[in-house]
Amino acid sequence: MACFYDKGLRFSCKKCLHCCSDEPGYVFLSETDIKTMSEGLGLTRDKFIDTYCRYVDMGSFYMVSLLEKKNYDCIFLTDKGCKVYEYRPVQCKTYPFWAHIVEDKESWDSEAASCPGINSGDLHSKNEINQALESRLNNEPLVILK
């Protein structure tokens, strides 16, 4: 089936850090993300969650998200960039190739208004983009029933 990114999309991170700062949001973590990050930081799973995460009430269940600083920066954002870049969550690794962003050209261009890396730099193939989408689908956020 044809999609607007059949010929690929251009994106190169400009390290503006906007996607990691300035506005409230959620970085929902899967069990795999939690394991990778806790091991990367040399912490137990529970210590990692207690120190760096919050439970977000979604009605009938909770999801685990990274904490934010008072200014809405990600808890792992430093003046030198991401403190956990090598073991960052899949949600972060796959940006901007998220389903709602690559749904159509209008959504892609709308995201470009806040991300200077979109529509510039490296050309990512349709296959690469689909792999990012699949990676997100196969890495569902942890759900904790009430």
Side-chain angles (χ1 to χ4, degrees), residues 15 35-36 79 112 128:
K15 303 200 180 348
K35 181 179 188 307
T36 300
D79 57 351
E128 287 177 272

Side-chain angles (χ1 to χ4, degrees), residues 29-136:
L29 303 177
S30 68
E31 193 63 59
T32 301
D33 290 328
I34 293 168
K35 181 179 188 307
T36 300
M37 295 180 79
S38 62
E39 288 175 358
L41 292 166
L43 300 172
T44 66
R45 177 188 186 280
D46 290 342
K47 182 67 173 169
F48 171 78
I49 291 173
D50 290 345
T51 306
Y52 296 110
C53 299
R54 62 184 162 150
Y55 292 95
V56 180
D57 191 338
M58 304 299 282
S60 61
F61 59 91
Y62 294 96
M63 292 173 69
V64 178
S65 177
L66 290 178
L67 286 172
E68 295 172 326
K69 299 174 187 175
K70 287 182 183 181
N71 64 354
Y72 301 119
D73 287 0
C74 174
I75 192 70
F76 291 115
L77 185 61
T78 71
D79 57 351
K80 295 178 182 177
C82 181
K83 177 181 175 181
V84 296
Y85 187 83
E86 56 276 1
Y87 35 88
R88 68 196 185 281
V90 168
Q91 181 177 327
C92 302
K93 286 179 188 176
T94 57
Y95 180 83
F97 304 118
W98 298 351
H100 74 279
I101 297 173
V102 299
E103 181 177 10
D104 53 41
K105 182 151 178 39
E106 293 77 25
S107 299
W108 180 254
D109 289 341
S110 176
E111 189 70 14
S114 63
C115 177
I118 291 178
N119 291 326
S120 70
D122 298 335
L123 180 65
H124 296 267
S125 70
K126 180 180 180 180
N127 187 50
E128 287 177 272
I129 296 164
N130 287 341
Q131 285 177 348
L133 292 167
E134 188 174 323
S135 178
R136 291 276 318 262

